[in-house]
């Protein structure tokens, strides 16, 4: 596995055109672990609503797959445009796209077909990147797309959005031609000056919400923004379960002590071990919340202390059911998930000692084996949320 | 001042699934006369569940160090009334 020194925090945010139930813009991203590659695509389908969504989904997924297979971009663009279903009213088929392709060595290629220009933000400034134009043949017509090559650096951000952002507010007295890229840039610089380390999710959301404000809270078009932020990875350690061997309790303690990141302990017995080793008391709260999970506890130096198996089961269930990094609700599982989303590299240390009391067939619920629950969580985090995961058994 | 009665409620996994979750509401149900005399705290697994032949069935509560098996809000209150 290629592990890059820096991590890419990728996220997006979107709002649908007023009253539409689906978005006509689609953002997809994929991490190819073996090659250390990251590919992301933003596509804006013609029109809005379901039809646009179908066009954009087809475009984005084809672009993602072709690019993962290293097929030449011109070819990809032509195939996409020539396969899209033709709109019966307008007799054209059309969806814009921006493809971002970053390899393990930070070499970055961006292709833009009819989306607003992407922005590269470095040291609080936008860096212009020279463009190459590429001619493509779409349904017998010559069209142009643009490609950009550069090397991405630590703390860089790539920001892409659909014209729902740049054209928001069209016709307002103060912005007859819409918000415009230059003003979007000023808005972003202001934000970055205020929040230097703002996450991709928060930055994308703020941009989209401002565009929505420009449209006076009734979006005239689908509004989407995606951000790729190349930064020092934030690390989170989740320890769950007592070590198989009692002698290894100390090992668990030293892993936690040496860790340069946040630490969560999920498991009562595990937290007792740590409490004993570090001589720190566990304070168990007795607050019943709506999650139905055992309450959160506190221990000095530890970010979060929760019960183990029920809580992790819930974490896995919630992760299964969400598709964005917006999580609402309360309780131990939601807190764990929020912490996961705020970090890039998630490390699990799983103790493999079996709790015999949990194996009683008369229990009202089946208590899963910890290892299996953790494996499920990891699979979702890697595949759906592109997190980098390390797993150790102890 | 009279020493407080300490009630430890186990919120370990096993006790929790065996009905311990409800015990978290104990404070609200205590009769007036005990409200000021009792300290309720939560605890991770108290280890009684590992030997249920000896201690009885989960959920467990400890009242001034004495274990109570199959604890429920009513059972705890009855015990307090009888004993204190
Ligand atoms: S879970 Fe309550 S005694 Fe073990």
């Amino acid at each position: 596995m290629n592990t890059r020194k820096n991590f890419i925090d990728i996220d997006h945010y979107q709002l649908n055109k007023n009253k539409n139930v689906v978005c006509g813009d689609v953002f997809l991203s994929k991490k190819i672990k073996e090659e250390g590659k990251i590919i992301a695509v933003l596509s804006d389908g013609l029109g809005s609503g379901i039809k646009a969504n179908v066009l954009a989904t087809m475009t984005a997924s084809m672009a993602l797959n072709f690019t993962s297979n290293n097929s030449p971009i011109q070819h990809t663009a032509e195939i996409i445009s020539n396969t899209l279903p033709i709109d019966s009213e307008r007799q054209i088929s059309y969806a814009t796209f921006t493809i971002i392709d970053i390899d393990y060595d930070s070499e970055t290629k961006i292709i833009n077909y009819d989306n607003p220009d992407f922005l590269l933000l470095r040291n609080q400034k936008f860096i212009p990147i020279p463009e190459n134009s590429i001619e493509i043949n779409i349904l017998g017509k010559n069209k142009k797309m643009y490609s950009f090559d550069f090397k991405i650096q630590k703390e860089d951000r790539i920001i892409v959005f659909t014209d729902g952002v740049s054209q928001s507010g069209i016709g307002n007295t103060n912005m007859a031609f819409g918000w415009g890229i230059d003003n979007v840039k000023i808005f972003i610089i202001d934000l970055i000056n205020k929040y230097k380390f703002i996450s991709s999710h928060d930055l994308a959301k703020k941009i989209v919400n401002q565009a929505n404000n420009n449209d006076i809270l009734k979006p005239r078009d689908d509004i989407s923004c995606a951000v790729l932020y190349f930064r020092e990875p934030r690390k989170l350690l989740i320890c769950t379960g007592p070590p198989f061997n009692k002698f290894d309790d100390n090992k668990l303690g030293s892993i936690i002590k040496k860790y340069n990141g946040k630490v969560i302990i999920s498991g009562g017995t595990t937290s007792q071990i740590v409490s004993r080793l570090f001589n720190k008391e566990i304070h168990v709260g007795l607050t019943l919340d709506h999650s139905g999970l055992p309450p959160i506890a506190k221990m000095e130096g530890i970010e979060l202390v929760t019960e183990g198996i029920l809580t992790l089961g819930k974490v896995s269930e919630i992760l299964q059911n969400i598709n964005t990094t917006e999580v609402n609700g309360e309780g131990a599982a939601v807190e764990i998930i929020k912490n996961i989303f705020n970090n890039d590299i998630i490390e699990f240390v799983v103790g493999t000692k079996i709790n015999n009391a949990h194996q009683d067939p008369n229990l009202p619920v089946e208590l899963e084996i910890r290892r299996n629950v953790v494996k499920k969580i990891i699979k979702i985090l890697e595949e759906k949320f592109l997190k980098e995961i390390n797993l150790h058994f102890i | 001042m009279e020493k407080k009665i300490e009630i430890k409620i186990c919120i370990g996994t096993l006790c929790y699934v065996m009905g311990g979750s409800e015990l978290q509401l104990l404070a609200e149900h205590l009769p007036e006369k005990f409200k000021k005399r009792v300290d309720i705290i939560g605890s991770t697994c108290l280890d009684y569940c590992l030997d249920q032949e000896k201690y009885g069935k989960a959920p467990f509560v400890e009242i001034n160090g004495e274990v109570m098996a199959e604890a429920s809000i009513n059972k705890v209150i009855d015990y307090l009334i009888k004993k204190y």
Side-chain angles (χ1 to χ4, degrees):
Chain A
M1 186 178 106
N2 284 306
T3 24
R4 191 193 309 270
K5 262 213 305 326
N6 291 309
F7 175 85
I8 304 188
D9 168 21
I10 306 183
D11 213 333
H12 75 292
Y13 192 79
Q14 48 190 194
L15 288 173
N16 305 348
K17 181 177 172 172
N18 194 26
K19 301 206 176 102
N20 280 354
V21 284
V22 296
C23 193
D25 299 340
V26 171
F27 177 75
L28 294 177
S29 59
K30 181 172 173 183
K31 195 179 206 168
I32 305 171
K33 217 172 160 183
E34 300 72 34
E35 299 173 45
K37 235 164 123 72
I38 302 247
I39 302 164
V41 183
L42 177 65
S43 174
D44 175 355
L46 174 72
S48 64
I50 303 271
K51 261 194 219 168
N53 177 273
V54 171
L55 290 172
T57 307
M58 283 179 69
T59 303
S61 37
M62 280 193 271
L64 200 66
N65 289 332
F66 285 125
T67 313
S68 337
N69 294 330
N70 298 314
S71 84
I73 187 64
Q74 211 164 335
H75 181 67
T76 305
E78 288 178 356
I79 296 191
I80 293 172
S81 313
N82 294 324
T83 357
L84 292 182
I86 293 179
D87 184 294
S88 52
E89 290 151 41
R90 292 175 244 212
Q91 290 300 317
I92 42 174
S93 84
Y94 180 72
T96 69
F97 55 82
T98 302
I99 304 174
I100 302 164
D101 180 359
I102 306 174
D103 77 7
Y104 73 96
D105 208 18
S106 312
E107 288 300 340
T108 305
K109 189 178 196 67
I110 297 187
I111 305 287
N112 182 9
Y113 176 57
D114 277 2
N115 269 335
D117 288 339
F118 74 93
L119 303 175
L120 174 65
L121 186 62
R122 177 176 296 163
N123 297 329
Q124 267 107 306
K125 282 191 202 70
F126 291 102
I127 308 290
I129 303 289
E131 62 183 28
N132 292 313
S133 84
I134 305 173
E135 295 264 329
I136 44 170
N137 183 297
I138 289 171
L139 299 171
K141 287 201 189 83
N142 278 342
K143 298 251 186 177
K144 268 201 178 92
M145 51 182 204
Y146 296 92
S147 86
F148 306 82
D149 293 276
F150 59 98
K151 200 162 179 141
I152 194 165
Q153 299 177 4
K154 190 167 152 197
E155 288 301 317
D156 278 359
R157 286 182 173 90
I158 296 171
I159 303 166
V160 278
F161 40 81
T162 54
D163 58 4
V165 170
S166 45
Q167 295 180 358
S168 63
I170 276 192
N172 291 359
T173 41
N174 59 342
M175 45 175 93
F177 300 105
W179 199 8
I181 299 233
D182 290 336
N183 290 320
V184 176
K185 283 182 176 172
I186 295 172
F187 177 80
I188 295 173
I189 294 284
D190 278 350
L191 275 177
I192 296 290
N193 287 338
K194 252 190 264 168
Y195 314 100
K196 192 158 180 242
F197 299 109
I198 188 169
S199 69
S200 294
H201 175 263
D202 291 353
L203 180 56
K205 186 171 176 177
K206 286 199 155 74
I207 294 169
V208 168
N209 282 342
Q210 181 57 44
N212 187 27
N213 291 346
N214 297 341
D215 280 342
I216 328 212
L217 308 183
K218 289 206 172 96
R220 294 192 180 87
D221 191 359
D222 300 310
I223 305 177
S224 308
C225 177
V227 179
L228 289 82
Y229 177 20
F230 203 56
R231 62 167 154 74
E232 189 84 52
R234 296 185 198 139
K235 293 169 73 186
L236 174 69
L237 173 69
I238 303 180
C239 298
T240 179
F244 185 76
N245 217 318
K246 190 120 198 54
F247 309 125
D248 283 334
D249 285 5
N250 283 323
K251 203 152 123 199
L252 177 65
S254 80
I255 293 175
I256 294 177
K257 202 172 231 150
K258 285 199 217 120
Y259 198 70
N260 64 340
K262 290 191 171 159
V263 179
I264 292 179
I265 299 176
S266 176
T269 312
T270 323
S271 54
Q272 285 172 359
I273 293 172
V274 176
S275 147
R276 191 163 20 94
L277 289 172
F278 293 175
N279 217 347
K280 302 270 188 240
E281 244 182 279
I282 309 170
H283 300 278
V284 178
L286 278 177
T287 38
L288 209 53
D289 58 40
H290 292 106
S291 68
L293 290 173
I296 289 170
K298 288 201 169 66
M299 196 192 305
E300 201 190 309
I302 304 292
E303 185 67 21
L304 182 64
V305 179
T306 73
E307 178 274 345
I309 204 71
L310 300 171
T311 308
L312 291 175
K314 189 79 185 179
V315 166
S316 143
E317 184 191 315
I318 297 175
L319 287 175
Q320 191 101 54
N321 291 326
I322 54 174
N323 288 311
T324 72
T325 51
E326 290 266 296
V327 262
N328 302 311
E330 52 182 9
V334 169
E335 288 310 312
I336 292 183
I337 294 176
K338 283 187 183 156
N339 271 286
I340 290 178
F341 286 155
N342 271 326
N343 289 280
D344 313 312
I345 299 184
I346 319 293
E347 311 199 50
F348 288 88
V349 170
V350 180
T352 48
K353 187 165 167 181
I354 302 276
N355 187 334
N356 286 328
H358 291 184
Q359 304 313 311
D360 182 347
N362 299 318
L363 292 184
V365 288
E366 199 174 326
L367 294 176
E368 256 190 290
I369 304 279
R370 191 183 305 272
R371 236 178 314 174
N372 299 345
V373 183
V374 172
K375 280 190 185 151
K376 260 193 230 164
I377 294 176
I378 290 178
K379 190 159 184 275
I380 305 174
L381 289 180
E382 284 186 326
E383 288 174 6
K384 206 189 309 184
F385 298 102
L386 308 184
K387 294 287 178 194
E388 191 166 324
I389 310 280
N390 289 320
L391 169 63
H392 314 272
F393 292 111
I394 180 168
Chain B
M1 209 184 91
E2 189 192 3
K3 212 173 150 271
K4 284 205 171 176
I5 308 165
E6 188 189 75
I7 303 185
K8 244 191 213 176
I9 296 175
C10 178
I11 49 109
T13 309
L14 196 81
C15 287
Y16 201 81
V17 301
M18 295 302 284
S21 55
E22 168 223 11
L23 286 163
Q24 290 191 77
L25 298 173
L26 177 63
E28 290 168 26
H29 292 88
L30 279 182
E32 235 14 83
K33 65 171 194 160
F34 285 115
K35 281 207 167 131
K36 287 220 168 65
R37 294 180 55 203
V38 169
D39 250 347
I40 302 177
I41 58 173
S43 167
T44 49
C45 175
L46 294 165
D47 281 351
Y48 296 118
C49 64
L50 297 176
D51 195 351
Q52 297 190 54
E53 269 162 32
K54 178 158 167 207
Y55 296 109
K57 283 202 162 10
F60 295 99
V61 164
E62 238 178 52
I63 306 176
N64 272 351
E66 292 212 27
V67 53
M68 172 189 285
E70 288 179 76
S72 65
I73 290 180
N74 287 335
K75 205 167 158 187
V76 171
I77 293 174
D78 286 349
Y79 178 90
L80 287 177
I81 292 173
K82 247 183 246 150
K83 181 127 185 200
Y84 295 95

